[in-house]
Amino acid sequence: DAKTTQPPSMDCAEGRAANLPCNHSTISGNEYVYWYRQIHSQGPQYIIHGLKNNETNEMASLIITEDRKSSTLILPHATLRDTAVYYCIVRPNAGGTSYGKLTFGQGTILTVHP
Amino acid sequence: GAVVSQHPSWVICKSGTSVKIECRSLDFQATTMFWYRQFPKQSLMLMATSNEGSKATYEQGVEKDKFLINHASLTLSTLTVTSAHPEDSSFYICSASTSGGFQIYEQYFGPGTRLTVT
């Protein structure tokens, strides 16, 4: 599976947009980019995923570069409750022995401050 | 929708005893369930994948005789930690997913179970 690289930590002011980058330079054609977050002592929460087009839902937007080697998760108006560890994960969607698995890296600790 | 529960949310047991953790998908049928373990200040590590009605597939380094997984129905999977030791103290998290054909859909995670072995 392709590995991802994320900054270990980021800060954001409440009400501002939080832009979390992720590098996945070895991503292959059948692999999707998924984002999850984990608030302290809870299970991870699904945020969004995409293949090559930009995606938006009620939680966030996902911008994937044209070469698919990197992506950015955007929380448009961060709140204090968005403080969490954000995981960028590349996952094969079909076929192979590892399809369906999520391999969690260290993620980015996002701290939203007043 | 897509709610996954775990029971218990926390448990303390004595060394040498066994502990069972339940994972339930409350509003969907989960053909595949995953069990993860998370040590303090570390990331989640996948322990095993279980499909309803078949044996679980364990990740390398995970002892299948120590961590017994049963996925007997489409809404319930259990993880039993046998002969628990203090080093098994961890945060255990399950996730559930549906699948169709070659597609496995989004994983939905439970809230986790904090196990402390004394």
Side-chain angles (χ1 to χ4, degrees):
Chain A
D1 296 351
K3 295 188 188 297
T4 62
T5 304
Q6 299 177 252
S9 64
M10 293 183 66
D11 286 342
C12 178
E14 189 177 19
R16 305 296 293 267
N19 299 289
L20 291 88
C22 179
N23 286 321
H24 31 79
S25 58
T26 60
I27 193 170
S28 60
N30 71 336
E31 291 180 318
Y32 284 66
V33 179
Y34 278 76
W35 283 83
Y36 282 79
R37 73 179 181 184
Q38 185 179 26
I39 296 170
H40 183 63
S41 294
Q42 297 183 24
Q45 177 188 22
Y46 165 81
I47 301 173
I48 200 168
H49 76 281
L51 183 62
K52 50 185 171 182
N53 297 322
N54 298 337
E55 302 288 343
T56 296
N57 63 20
E58 65 277 5
M59 288 184 69
S61 294
L62 173 61
I63 308 298
I64 302 174
T65 58
E66 194 169 340
D67 63 7
R68 302 185 69 236
K69 293 185 177 182
S70 66
S71 61
T72 301
L73 178 74
I74 301 172
L75 307 178
H77 305 286
T79 70
L80 298 179
R81 286 185 287 184
D82 291 323
T83 293
V85 181
Y86 286 77
Y87 296 100
C88 169
I89 300 167
V90 170
R91 189 188 101 177
N93 205 48
T97 57
S98 62
Y99 89 111
K101 295 183 182 180
L102 293 173
T103 301
F104 286 80
Q106 295 305 306
T108 296
I109 300 171
L110 174 68
T111 303
V112 181
H113 52 85
Chain B
V3 178
V4 177
S5 69
Q6 282 185 241
H7 178 79
S9 55
W10 60 270
V11 58
I12 301 173
C13 72
K14 292 187 176 181
S15 186
T17 61
S18 295
V19 175
K20 180 185 285 188
I21 301 169
E22 293 185 349
C23 176
R24 294 182 185 272
S25 57
L26 299 185
D27 52 3
F28 67 101
Q29 293 187 325
T31 50
T32 305
M33 286 187 170
F34 302 84
W35 286 94
Y36 297 81
R37 180 167 54 180
Q38 185 175 33
F39 292 108
K41 298 192 177 183
Q42 293 187 24
S43 190
L44 285 79
M45 289 189 60
L46 180 65
M47 299 175 67
T49 303
S50 73
N51 292 295
E52 184 263 339
S54 61
K55 290 184 179 180
T57 301
Y58 290 81
E59 295 299 300
Q60 193 171 6
V62 178
E63 301 174 57
K64 62 180 181 180
D65 294 330
K66 180 172 182 60
F67 299 99
L68 302 179
I69 292 172
N70 184 279
H71 190 169
S73 79
L74 287 172
T75 59
L76 173 65
S77 176
T78 60
L79 168 68
T80 302
V81 183
T82 63
S83 187
H85 291 285
E87 56 266 31
D88 298 323
S89 298
S90 187
F91 193 48
Y92 290 86
I93 307 169
C94 72
S95 70
S97 179
T98 59
S99 64
F102 290 106
Q103 299 277 343
I104 282 191
Y105 304 107
E106 282 70 321
Q107 289 185 32
Y108 298 96
F109 286 81
T113 297
R114 178 78 56 192
L115 170 63
T116 302
V117 184
T118 61

